[in-house]
Amino acid sequence: AQSVTQLDSHVSVSEGTPVLLRCNYSSSYSPSLFWYVQHPNKGLQLLLKYTSAATLVKGINGFEAEFKKSETSFHLTKPSAHMSDAAEYFCVVSLYSSASKIIFGSGTRLSIRP
Amino acid sequence: DAGVIQSPRHEVTEMGQEVTLRCKPISGHNSLFWYRQTMMRGLELLIYFNNNVPIDDSGMPEDRFSAKMPNASFSTLKIQPSEPRDSAVYFCASSPSHGLGNTIYFGEGSWLTVV
């Protein structure tokens, strides 16, 4: 069975320092992987996605993620945090063609300290 | 592109009343999804449609919930009768198709409070 685990429910970093949001997945096959961001009182917005092309994926707002099959990980990083990055981040795995097999992680709340 | 449009954005209703949430997907998208988000349960898929046909409604909580998609540009999620535990944010989303790797585009959500 496929699953996705976001290892931290809350991450707090200082403005200007690196961001690391961790995501591990479980899948017997090569999945598609996504990161979405949700700002307060807003819908979910796609940050980036991996679909079996380059393992290092660049997204919007300076975020990127690296697909590591050996570690079954898809961690989200950003070199320098900005106050506007404060939000909830969701890691998502999609295995089959059926939309009901799209699994959302439980989310990581990112706080930015001035 | 206008994105996925949901209405109402906010609704407060009394227990027992009927609630209808509406969604207009992105033009040309074949798949439409209804999700519910709560603090306790996170994001849950309620139902999804492909080409206006319900494909999987296993996430619909109970018979009080129903969803329709009469055409490619409109869908409704109805709760009748509503209960306080239905209070949540309901997201509609659409996708070009239900294929692997396709991005799901979310609306801004309908914030429902049942008192």
Side-chain angles (χ1 to χ4, degrees):
Chain A
Q2 66 175 17
S3 66
V4 59
T5 301
Q6 292 185 241
L7 297 159
D8 307 294
S9 59
H10 182 215
V11 170
S12 179
V13 303
S14 297
E15 189 176 21
T17 64
V19 174
L20 170 64
L21 305 183
R22 298 182 294 166
C23 172
N24 284 97
Y25 68 93
S26 173
S27 171
S28 301
Y29 304 95
S30 293
S32 291
L33 294 158
F34 306 76
W35 276 100
Y36 281 83
V37 60
Q38 184 180 26
H39 290 277
N41 302 322
K42 295 289 188 181
L44 280 74
Q45 179 186 16
L46 179 72
L47 270 180
L48 49 80
K49 70 177 182 181
Y50 166 78
T51 55
S52 76
T55 56
L56 182 62
V57 182
K58 294 187 184 299
I60 61 172
N61 300 334
F63 284 94
E64 62 182 37
E66 185 171 8
F67 172 69
K68 292 187 177 180
K69 187 174 182 179
S70 60
E71 299 176 10
T72 62
S73 69
F74 190 58
H75 300 335
L76 182 70
T77 60
K78 182 173 180 177
S80 176
H82 191 273
M83 294 300 292
S84 60
D85 295 327
E88 189 92 12
Y89 291 80
F90 293 92
C91 182
V92 181
V93 60
S94 170
L95 177 57
Y96 303 109
S97 297
S98 168
S100 62
K101 302 303 181 186
I102 297 172
I103 307 297
F104 282 78
S106 56
T108 297
R109 181 165 61 91
L110 176 64
S111 299
I112 311 296
R113 301 187 299 271
Chain B
D1 195 326
V4 176
I5 299 173
Q6 293 186 244
S7 64
R9 287 297 315 279
H10 299 273
E11 174 134 355
V12 180
T13 190
E14 291 186 346
M15 182 173 62
Q17 296 298 306
E18 177 181 291
V19 174
T20 299
L21 308 178
R22 298 174 177 80
C23 175
K24 176 178 169 56
I26 294 173
S27 177
H29 282 192
N30 296 328
S31 293
L32 182 139
F33 312 84
W34 283 100
Y35 286 90
R36 178 173 67 177
Q37 186 178 41
T38 61
M39 290 290 291
M40 292 296 294
R41 301 172 69 93
L43 202 62
E44 304 171 277
L45 176 66
L46 299 178
I47 185 171
Y48 90 92
F49 296 83
N50 191 56
N51 293 325
N52 311 338
V53 175
I55 302 300
D56 185 349
D57 65 355
S58 59
M60 295 286 264
E62 49 198 271
D63 291 345
R64 297 185 297 106
F65 285 69
S66 62
K68 294 182 179 179
M69 191 166 186
N71 58 62
S73 59
F74 184 66
S75 176
T76 59
L77 177 67
K78 187 173 294 186
I79 308 172
Q80 167 63 23
S82 58
E83 297 181 2
R85 61 192 169 120
D86 301 330
S87 298
V89 185
Y90 292 82
F91 287 105
C92 178
S94 69
S95 176
S97 74
H98 66 291
L100 185 67
N102 279 308
T103 300
I104 298 177
Y105 297 84
F106 285 80
E108 297 277 275
S110 291
W111 301 71
L112 174 65
T113 302
V114 183
V115 297

